[in-house]
Amino acid sequence: MNPAPHPRPAPGLPGRRGLLGGLLAGAALAAVPALAAPARAGARPAPAPAGPRATRPLLLGTYTSEGGGGTGIGTAAYDTGTGAITPGPVITGVENPSYLAPHPSGATVYAVAEQGAGAVTAVAVGPDGTYVVLGSRPTGGSGPTHLSVHPSGRWLLSANYTSGSVAVHPIAEDGSLGERTDLVTHSSPPPGPGQGGPHAHQIVTSPDGGHVLAVDLGTDTVYTYALDASAGTLTEVSRAALAPGSGPRHLAFHPGGRFAYLACELDNTMVVCAYDPATGVLTPGPGQSTGTGSGVSYPAQPVVTGDGAYVYLANRGHNSLTRYAVEGDGAVLRLLDTVPVGGDWPRQLALSPDSSLLFAANQRSSTVTVFGVGPDGSLTGAGAPFPAPVAVCVLPLP
């Protein structure tokens, strides 16, 4: 997402996206044909026959209020060997689920409702392969665009892009959400040049679990918070300032926990940041090339392989994936190449749990493209693009 003043050729929120206001609908699951043939209500795609390969669940985020968009959270399955995707039914009763995140237990998945009256929804993943919507809670802000679950499994963290705030909700034993325990608005520093206000774009927990980091595109700042594990409240402990007008969007930590890689969408750079787990201080380095040339390509999201050896970056304007080698125990990114993504406007990336496959959600072409990841980090296309209505998030489950 971008603030309105920027000439980004993607639709926007009210005044930008034209999304519906109001909170999420209630808690019943209704399955309708998703991306292909009808399926049993509430069903997940049937498991593959016994053999050397298996299929695993894949969830798809979309905009339900956009023309050509979906009707809820799409379900599918992917072949862990080939990456081939098989369509399944839709989890309805979930509005504008543009970002998805799993609970560490695997028993629940959470979705934002990216709309004027922002909300978050919990969806139970049943042992029999069904999905049941447990209900939703307001985030206290507008246009939530990202969420994540604290490693303890007790707290859901969400970022309200349009209102520039971050929220905390408690998670009950059954995975359902309680009333919000905190809401913090990024009131300073002033917004970057032409950025119109704070725009919280991501909220994540550091690998050691000690701090929560919120990336704000509008204020060109990454805020570090301490989370009170009993009260579910956030206390700011540090700020990292990025170049004015750079528009930091998403970061991904190296598994070693000492470095993070931050995509800045407005100045088309990738920034290596040092991270101190003891203090929560994030120290950004200089902006580095995305390999897409001098124009603004709106880099969207970096992902890091499980072994920490490679980083991939989605470039929306360039419709490509940048590949970096990680050196110096995480301290250095070496640009290797860019690869065509095979779709239009790659909004989000996800690696399979073993990092053998890379999935790209291509918003404007309404497709998901899949790549095999080689031992040298090379990317090889795995079959034809998979059709998915206004694909803005793809989540492979373990």
Side-chain angles (χ1 to χ4, degrees):
M1 294 171 55
N2 266 15
H6 295 289
R8 175 176 172 185
L13 278 160
R16 300 175 57 250
R17 285 209 45 81
L19 296 181
L20 298 175
L23 301 178
L24 289 179
L29 169 68
V32 300
L35 307 170
R40 176 176 62 85
R44 185 187 288 172
R53 289 198 295 260
T55 58
R56 298 302 305 154
L58 189 74
L59 299 181
L60 304 163
T62 185
Y63 290 114
T64 60
S65 61
E66 183 171 306
T71 56
I73 300 172
T75 74
Y78 71 95
D79 186 301
T80 58
T82 67
I85 300 175
T86 303
V90 170
I91 305 168
T92 58
V94 187
E95 298 297 321
N96 296 309
S98 65
Y99 203 87
L100 310 169
H103 191 277
S105 69
T108 320
V109 171
Y110 300 91
V112 299
E114 190 183 328
Q115 53 197 25
V120 285
T121 292
V123 180
V125 182
D128 58 350
T130 60
Y131 299 92
V132 177
V133 178
L134 299 177
S136 62
R137 298 285 184 177
T139 61
S142 58
T145 189
H146 186 268
L147 79 175
S148 61
V149 181
H150 188 267
S152 67
R154 295 182 54 203
W155 306 101
L156 182 70
L157 312 166
S158 57
N160 295 304
Y161 176 88
T162 308
S163 54
S165 59
V166 293
V168 185
H169 288 81
I171 299 175
E173 288 293 326
D174 65 354
S176 62
L177 297 171
E179 291 292 345
R180 188 179 65 251
T181 54
D182 205 1
L183 179 70
V184 179
T185 300
H186 297 155
S187 56
S188 65
Q195 287 168 229
H199 294 294
H201 215 310
Q202 184 194 32
I203 184 164
V204 295
T205 305
S206 58
D208 63 296
H211 295 92
V212 171
L213 290 86
V215 181
D216 196 297
L217 185 150
T219 63
D220 298 316
T221 300
V222 180
Y223 303 82
T224 299
Y225 297 98
L227 173 68
D228 186 315
S230 298
T233 54
L234 298 170
T235 302
E236 185 181 328
V237 298
S238 178
R239 294 182 186 182
L242 280 298
S246 58
R249 178 185 175 94
H250 272 226
L251 65 76
F253 274 96
H254 185 272
R258 295 283 181 169
F259 297 95
Y261 312 110
L262 178 61
C264 294
E265 72 168 71
L266 299 183
D267 69 358
N268 196 33
T269 60
M270 179 78 109
V271 177
V272 178
C273 304
Y275 176 72
D276 183 349
T279 63
V281 172
L282 189 76
T283 305
Q288 299 181 207
S289 172
T290 62
T292 60
S294 58
V296 178
S297 193
Y298 303 107
Q301 181 192 20
V303 292
V304 187
T305 55
D307 60 5
Y310 296 95
V311 172
Y312 303 100
L313 175 67
N315 303 297
R316 288 167 292 172
H318 198 246
N319 285 333
S320 67
L321 305 173
T322 302
R323 183 172 63 114
Y324 298 94
V326 180
E327 299 175 340
D329 293 326
V332 176
L333 289 184
R334 179 166 56 89
L335 177 64
L336 297 176
D337 55 23
T338 61
V339 176
V341 74
D344 191 357
W345 207 255
R347 170 74 172 266
Q348 185 257 352
L349 299 179
L351 287 159
S352 60
D354 63 0
S355 293
S356 66
L357 296 169
L358 178 68
F359 300 86
N362 303 301
Q363 180 175 354
R364 297 165 111 197
S365 58
S366 289
T367 58
V368 172
T369 45
V370 187
F371 297 84
V373 179
D376 60 351
S378 59
L379 298 175
T380 303
F386 178 74
V390 188
V392 290
C393 185
V394 55
L395 177 63
L397 295 177

